[in-house]
Amino acid sequence: MAERVMVVCDVCGSAPAETVAITAKDRSYRKDLCSTHLSQLLDGARAPRRGRPRKAEAATANAAPQAAPRRRGRPPKSASPQAAAAKPATARKRGPITDPVILQKRRDALAKARAARAAKRAAAAKS
């Protein structure tokens, strides 16, 4: 047995209704409204501006201007030209691995990865 959900206006109960999201006093609400009640709700409404809301200006006009607050965290790479000049143009090359234990571990890991990839390809070929 199938069920059908119909959205009706929360004010008058007429069938073709649209859901509206409303935020007031830091709470979110949803209300279903027909076209008549939706137009009444939108009467005199304005679209919000994009971006963050503007901060309130200082209450006193003759107050001393405050310095900008210090940035927290790491500055972007392009912020300091001295840091860019101090960096070497090329990174230091890694030396060859000479330790036989580390070499064997790396070879074993590569062999295991190759075997897993081969098994995966074989399984895909079977399907």
Side-chain angles (χ1 to χ4, degrees):
M1 182 170 140
E3 290 185 15
R4 187 173 180 188
V5 177
M6 286 190 63
V7 179
V8 295
C9 180
D10 290 339
V11 180
C12 64
S14 62
E18 195 170 331
T19 303
V20 179
I22 303 169
T23 304
K25 296 184 181 179
D26 295 333
R27 302 235 7 226
S28 295
Y29 302 94
R30 301 259 187 254
K31 191 156 184 151
D32 302 319
L33 299 172
C34 63
S35 59
T36 307
H37 290 111
L38 181 62
S39 64
Q40 288 176 0
L41 177 72
L42 296 179
D43 234 8
R46 60 177 176 77
R49 291 186 181 193
R50 292 186 63 188
R52 291 185 178 182
R54 293 184 180 170
K55 299 239 180 190
E57 295 297 322
T60 58
N62 54 359
Q66 293 180 345
R70 273 190 66 162
R71 272 183 36 89
R72 295 183 66 189
R74 188 175 189 168
K77 289 183 180 178
S78 62
S80 113
Q82 294 128 357
K87 270 191 177 176
T90 58
R92 190 182 72 124
K93 294 204 174 206
R94 293 174 70 179
I97 298 174
T98 55
D99 186 13
V101 175
I102 294 177
L103 278 172
Q104 190 57 45
K105 285 182 180 179
R106 177 167 285 185
R107 287 185 188 123
D108 292 342
L110 287 172
K112 184 177 177 182
R114 285 189 194 108
R117 191 179 318 138
K120 191 172 185 181
R121 286 181 180 159
K126 280 184 180 180
S127 314

